[in-house]
C-alpha cells in the first residue's frame, strides 16, 4: 500500500466523520427539544392538596345562631314551616294536633302545652326545667331525635342552618309578646379567651383580703 492509497483511506474516514457531524448540526438546527416545561402529566403534589384541605376547612365555618337570626327572614320561615302544619297548629289558642300547639312556643317550658301527651324524652326536658330558647329550638329542629332521643315528633329535621333561622324568626311571630333574639355580639367570643381574663380577675380578688 503506497502513501497515495493511505491518503485516500484517511480521506474517506475524515469525509465520513465530517458528513456525520454535518448531519448532527443539521438535525439540531431543525429539531428544538422542548425543555423546562416539567413533566408531561401532572404528578400528585401532596403539599398542594394539604393546602387545599386547609383552605376548605374554614370555608364552612359555623355561623353563630344569633348572627343567623339577625338576618333571618320570617316570611321565608313561614313558607318553610308549612311542613310543620300537618302536625302543628300555629294560631293563637290553637288546639293540639298530632303535635302540640305552637303559639307562644319561644320561651315556653319544654313539653308543657296542656292536654298534650308528650314523650318521656320531652317530659324529661320538662322535669329538668328546660325552656324553648332559640338555641334549644335550633338544636331540636336540626335533629329532633338527637335533641330528644325517643321523641314522638316523627320529623327528620331541617339541615340548613339558614332555613332553621328563618323558621325560628317565624316562630318568634307566634306570640303576644315576641321574645327578642339573643344579641349577636355576645356569641362569637371564643370560650377560651373569655376564661383567661376571668382567671386573671380572680387572682387580685383572692389577694385582696390579705392586705
Ligand atoms: C309528623 C308530625 C310532625 C311534624 C311534621 C313536625 N312536628 Fe313538631 N312535634 C310533633 C310531635 C308529635 C311533638 C311532640 C314530641 C314529643 O312529645 O316527643 C312535636 C313537638 C314539637 C315541639 C316541642 C313543643 C313543646 O311543647 O315542647 C316543637 C317546638 C316543634 N314540634 C316544632 C316543629 C316545627 C317547627 C316543625 C316544622 C319544621 C315540626 N315541629 C314538624 C310532630 C311533628
Amino acid at each position: 500500500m503506497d502513501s497515495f492509497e493511505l491518503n485516500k483511506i484517511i480521506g474517506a474516514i475524515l469525509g465520513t466523520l465530517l458528513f456525520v457531524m454535518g448531519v448532527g448540526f443539521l438535525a439540531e438546527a431543525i429539531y428544538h427539544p422542548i425543555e423546562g416545561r416539567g413533566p408531561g402529566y401532572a404528578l400528585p403534589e401532596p403539599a398542594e392538596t394539604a393546602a387545599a384541605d386547609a383552605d376548605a376547612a374554614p370555608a364552612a365555618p359555623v355561623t353563630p345562631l344569633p348572627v343567623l337570626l339577625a338576618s333571618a327572614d320570617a316570611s321565608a320561615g313561614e313558607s318553610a314551616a308549612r311542613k310543620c302544619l300537618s302536625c302543628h297548629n300555629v294560631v293563637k289558642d290553637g288546639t293540639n294536633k298530632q303535635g302540640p300547639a305552637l303559639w307562644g312556643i319561644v320561651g315556653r317550658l319544654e313539653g308543657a302545652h296542656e292536654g298534650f301527651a308528650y314523650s318521656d324524652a320531652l317530659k324529661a326536658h320538662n322535669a329538668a326545667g328546660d325552656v324553648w330558647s332559640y338555641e334549644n329550638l335550633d338544636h331540636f329542629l336540626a335533629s329532633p331525635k338527637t335533641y330528644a332521643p325517643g321523641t314522638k315528633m316523627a320529623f327528620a329535621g331541617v339541615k340548613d342552618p339558614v332555613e332553621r333561622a328563618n323558621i325560628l324568626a317565624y316562630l318568634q311571630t307566634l306570640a303576644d309578646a315576641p321574645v327578642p333574639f339573643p344579641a349577636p355580639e355576645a356569641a362569637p367570643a371564643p370560650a377560651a379567651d373569655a376564661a383567661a381574663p376571668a382567671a386573671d380577675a380572680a387572682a387580685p380578688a383572692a389577694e385582696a383580703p390579705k392586705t
Side-chain angles (χ1 to χ4, degrees):
M1 194 193 303
D2 59 16
S3 68
F4 182 67
E5 198 87 352
L6 195 67
N7 278 349
K8 279 206 282 187
I9 293 169
I10 290 169
I13 291 169
L14 288 176
T16 307
L17 283 175
L18 204 68
F19 176 76
V20 167
M21 279 172 73
V23 168
F25 277 126
L26 202 69
E28 245 172 76
I30 294 168
Y31 301 105
H32 298 281
I34 299 160
E35 280 165 16
R37 285 215 195 152
Y41 54 92
L43 295 166
E45 286 174 44
E48 267 195 31
T49 343
D53 285 351
D55 285 349
V62 180
T63 311
L65 180 63
V67 175
L68 288 174
L69 285 175
S71 58
D73 179 350
S75 58
E78 181 169 10
S79 313
R82 286 210 193 102
K83 49 180 165 275
C84 321
L85 303 184
S86 54
C87 302
H88 289 286
N89 223 327
V90 292
V91 295
K92 189 175 181 181
D93 299 326
T95 52
N96 295 326
K97 293 163 79 175
Q98 187 180 333
L102 290 182
W103 182 264
I105 187 65
V106 181
R108 191 163 89 191
L109 190 63
E110 300 187 16
H113 197 273
E114 59 184 65
F116 189 82
Y118 287 96
S119 64
D120 289 343
L122 276 192
K123 278 185 195 155
H125 277 279
N126 179 290
D130 293 339
V131 165
W132 284 125
S133 61
Y134 289 107
E135 203 79 40
N136 285 350
L137 281 168
D138 187 51
H139 290 155
F140 181 60
L141 294 180
S143 173
K145 65 175 187 294
T146 306
Y147 180 83
T151 180
K152 287 205 268 175
M153 176 151 137
F155 179 73
V158 177
K159 293 289 160 268
D160 178 10
V162 173
E163 188 186 337
R164 283 203 307 275
N166 291 343
I167 292 175
L168 293 181
Y170 169 63
L171 293 181
Q172 182 186 46
T173 68
L174 306 179
D176 293 323
V179 177
F181 292 142
E185 307 82 49
D193 284 355
D200 288 347
E207 281 164 20
K210 278 186 242 155
T211 55

